[in-house]
Amino acid sequence: AQKVTQAQTEISVVEKEDVTLDCVYETRDTTYYLFWYKQPPSGELVFLIRRNSFDEQNEISGRYSWNFQKSTSSFNFTITASQVVDSAVYFCALSEADFGNEKLTFGTGTRLTIIP
Amino acid sequence: EPEVTQTPSHQVTQMGQEVILRCVPISNHLYFYWYRQILGQKVEFLVSFYNNEISEKSEIFDDQFSVERPDGSNFTLKIRSTKLEDSAMYFCASRRDSQNTIYFGEGSWLTVV
């Protein structure tokens, strides 16, 4: 069975600080996908990134970066120079590569508050 | 940019009533999903749908729930006799094929009173 753990329930940082959100996953599959979604106060789920298990290259997109470490089963998310608009709940998710049925297992989320 | 749309955004219903939540997935997508998020909790998988049939469902998706794709565009979730514990945000999602990301709608907030 697959499982995603986000141990940080809530984080608060002052604007412009960097912040890292942790994600640890468990799966028996060798092929799987990892995701991060953002849920702002309005409630929708906004896709941020999808990463497959064969691609351990770190990725950077503007102020966002992701560190995938297969050896520790972690897929951490860093926001650099945080802004108030980054305040949201962030979910890490995992899907096993069941081709034809890629359902997501979510972590419990980390509520990030950026203090102006 | 194409998006998944859901209606209604918020519905209040009395316990025991039937509710239908509607979704229009992205037009060229083939896989459809419903997820649920009880207030303050994580997002949970309910059901996946492909080729006009359910491909997988979770333990939550009991006989009270059903899904349908009545035409080429809509994808609905019906709850036959709502219970208080069905109060949650329901997210519809879609995906083009097995290599693509799942995109979520903005959610339908259901309150059962």
Side-chain angles (χ1 to χ4, degrees):
Chain A
Q2 50 191 357
K3 184 180 176 184
V4 176
T5 301
Q6 294 180 256
Q8 303 152 308
T9 309
E10 296 191 31
I11 300 176
S12 294
V13 300
V14 176
E15 198 173 16
K16 296 184 185 170
E17 285 186 358
D18 299 348
V19 58
T20 294
L21 309 182
D22 297 333
C23 173
V24 173
Y25 62 91
E26 292 175 32
T27 177
R28 293 191 195 126
D29 275 19
T30 54
T31 303
Y32 52 90
Y33 298 89
L34 296 162
F35 301 77
W36 277 94
Y37 285 87
K38 174 183 179 180
Q39 187 175 43
S42 47
E44 72 268 30
L45 285 169
V46 178
F47 166 75
L48 296 178
I49 190 170
R50 176 183 189 258
R51 172 69 54 174
N52 78 55
S53 52
F54 296 111
D55 183 3
E56 283 195 75
Q57 273 197 334
N58 291 332
E59 180 152 341
I60 298 175
S61 175
R63 296 184 296 107
Y64 295 171
S65 61
W66 291 269
N67 183 349
F68 177 27
Q69 300 251 342
K70 226 168 170 179
S71 59
T72 55
S73 297
S74 65
F75 186 46
N76 296 338
F77 172 31
T78 298
I79 302 175
T80 307
S82 59
Q83 300 174 2
V84 172
V85 293
D86 296 328
S87 296
V89 179
Y90 290 85
F91 290 97
C92 181
L94 164 74
S95 74
E96 290 163 347
D98 178 8
F99 293 101
N101 186 31
E102 196 176 283
K103 74 174 193 281
L104 295 170
T105 297
F106 283 83
T108 49
T110 298
R111 181 177 297 279
L112 176 63
T113 302
I114 309 299
I115 303 164
Chain B
E1 185 175 320
E3 57 184 22
V4 178
T5 57
Q6 291 185 240
T7 54
S9 55
H10 189 189
Q11 181 162 352
V12 181
T13 189
Q14 286 200 321
M15 193 168 57
Q17 295 295 304
E18 177 182 284
V19 159
I20 296 176
L21 305 178
R22 291 183 167 80
C23 170
V24 179
I26 296 173
S27 63
N28 62 348
H29 283 194
L30 302 175
Y31 298 84
F32 313 112
Y33 306 84
W34 284 99
Y35 285 78
R36 180 180 84 174
Q37 185 183 29
I38 294 171
L39 184 63
Q41 297 186 23
K42 67 178 178 181
V43 181
E44 300 172 291
F45 168 76
L46 288 179
V47 65
S48 57
F49 192 88
Y50 171 70
N51 200 25
N52 286 320
E53 62 183 18
I54 290 173
S55 40
E56 188 172 347
K57 57 186 180 181
S58 72
E59 291 174 356
I60 304 167
F61 194 88
D62 61 22
D63 292 343
Q64 295 282 69
F65 292 90
S66 62
V67 289
E68 201 175 40
R69 189 158 161 80
D71 53 42
S73 60
N74 289 287
F75 179 51
T76 62
L77 173 70
K78 183 193 291 187
I79 309 174
R80 254 178 282 280
S81 177
T82 49
K83 303 188 276 277
L84 294 177
E85 53 265 37
D86 293 328
S87 295
M89 179 79 98
Y90 288 82
F91 290 102
C92 176
S94 70
R95 170 169 67 92
R96 193 177 76 204
D97 58 39
S98 62
Q99 303 303 313
N100 279 269
T101 293
I102 299 175
Y103 289 95
F104 286 82
E106 293 194 346
S108 293
W109 182 249
L110 175 65
T111 303
V112 183
V113 298

